Amino acid sequence: MDEHRLKCFVAVYEQGSVSAAATRLHMTQPPLSILLRKLEDELGVTLFDRSGHRLAPTATGELFYLRAKALLANLQTMRRELREAEQGARGSVHIGCATAASLFVMPGVMEDLRSSGLDITVHVQEGETGYMLQRLRERSLDLVISRSEYIAPELETRIIMDEPLQVALPPDHPQAGCDRVRLEDLRHDRFLLHRSPLGAGISDMVLRACQQAGVVPNVVYWGGETLPMLLMAQKGLGVAFAPQSFGQLAAAGLPRLVPLAGAQLRTHLNVVWPRQLVLTPAASRIRDLILERFAP
């Protein structure tokens, strides 16, 4: 049984005669009658009562009509979904995200998805950069958005959200009310820094700038996430460094971020994907949305 036979049966059922159905199907009557007979033989049932002047569906024919209509509708839906998947309008995308990407990139991506009408489900996983890049190579992830600057020949990297690095001070810090803070003003503070297990990250910039300023930082904490360090700074446990975008969270109980004077430190998020592997159409759509909205 194929789709053409289903359509022919439905046409005969709905038109009530072979001749009317043949006209609707743009075919002649004899081949349509033969097709119906073959369909009944294949199914081993009688679909129409032919004793009167008009074809009347049997109880079996009534049931088959319902099933045939459902099958044809499912086939049409499947074709549409496959076309959409081929065009990147439907599917699932797995993205490894730094916390900043989850906070400041993905909400915008989801807004764009909703406004564009794309039927794409996004699966986000946060984690350490090295682990996420390994999953990217294994094709467990489609894209990675990370903070560390990591260069590898098999990976394509584009910068998004280039922004200045700023400092979070405890509420009772002597420089807390200043518009700008020099690294020299922090020489007696406890530093809360990001560890950079892979590539160059925020701590590398801070330590290099401290060296240039003649400051030997007292690092008391190495962490992988910015938010815990900002909370520690708010509790007076040290000074922390964060991208300017985290200043949006000051109203949520996090400390105000203060620009650094003198040291022109900038950081950025990077979107990474395999260079030599073809992205799925849906993953390509998401990557393009990210680049269009956030790339400088």
Side-chain angles (χ1 to χ4, degrees), residues 3-252:
E3 185 180 3
H4 176 62
R5 287 188 180 184
L6 290 178
K7 288 182 176 179
C8 289
F9 165 77
V10 168
V12 172
Y13 179 97
E14 292 178 347
Q15 297 298 129
S17 74
V18 174
S19 59
T23 301
R24 170 172 154 181
L25 294 167
H26 305 290
M27 60 188 298
T28 58
Q29 183 175 339
L32 181 55
S33 297
I34 295 172
L35 184 148
L36 278 181
R37 290 290 188 184
K38 287 184 176 180
L39 178 60
E40 289 177 319
D41 291 341
E42 180 182 339
L43 295 172
V45 298
T46 301
L47 298 174
F48 292 101
D49 181 358
R50 296 173 173 82
S51 59
H53 295 291
R54 181 179 175 86
L55 287 180
T58 63
T60 303
E62 296 278 2
L63 175 61
F64 187 64
Y65 173 74
L66 296 176
R67 297 294 182 264
K69 288 288 283 188
L71 280 171
L72 291 171
N74 286 337
L75 284 171
Q76 184 177 2
T77 299
M78 181 181 67
R79 288 194 181 94
R80 187 189 72 249
E81 290 177 348
L82 290 174
R83 285 195 302 270
E84 291 173 351
E86 183 73 18
Q87 298 164 1
R90 174 184 293 271
S92 295
V93 179
H94 297 259
I95 306 178
C97 285
T99 300
S102 293
L103 289 171
F104 308 116
V105 174
M106 295 314 301
V109 171
M110 297 309 294
E111 288 177 357
D112 289 345
L113 279 179
R114 183 179 63 180
S115 62
S116 62
L118 299 177
D119 188 11
I120 296 176
T121 302
V122 178
H123 301 263
V124 167
Q125 175 180 326
E126 294 187 13
E128 187 268 324
T129 300
Y131 172 70
M132 292 195 296
L133 291 177
Q134 182 58 35
R135 293 202 64 199
L136 183 69
R137 293 187 178 95
E138 296 169 352
R139 301 306 300 268
S140 299
L141 293 174
D142 299 298
L143 305 167
V144 167
I145 305 176
S146 69
R147 178 72 60 181
S148 298
E149 296 182 47
Y150 180 69
I151 300 174
E154 73 276 14
L155 299 177
E156 189 77 29
T157 302
R158 288 282 302 275
I159 294 174
I160 58 174
M161 285 191 68
D162 180 79
E163 54 188 328
L165 191 66
Q166 299 183 338
V167 61
L169 304 175
D172 59 353
H173 194 279
Q175 307 295 322
C178 297
D179 293 332
R180 291 184 175 275
V181 175
R182 301 178 307 158
L183 284 173
E184 293 90 328
D185 298 326
L186 308 176
R187 65 174 67 249
H188 301 299
D189 285 288
R190 295 154 56 93
F191 277 54
L192 314 170
L193 290 183
H194 300 75
R195 64 175 180 269
S196 300
L198 187 66
I202 288 176
S203 62
D204 300 282
M205 288 190 294
V206 172
L207 293 175
R208 187 163 53 248
C210 285
Q211 183 180 27
Q212 294 171 351
V215 175
V216 180
N218 175 25
V219 182
V220 298
Y221 179 87
W222 292 94
E225 299 292 342
T226 300
L227 287 177
M229 287 184 275
L230 293 178
L231 290 171
M232 292 180 199
Q234 183 67 18
K235 291 178 178 292
L237 301 178
V239 298
F241 297 84
Q244 184 182 45
S245 54
F246 278 84
Q248 302 172 38
L249 305 178

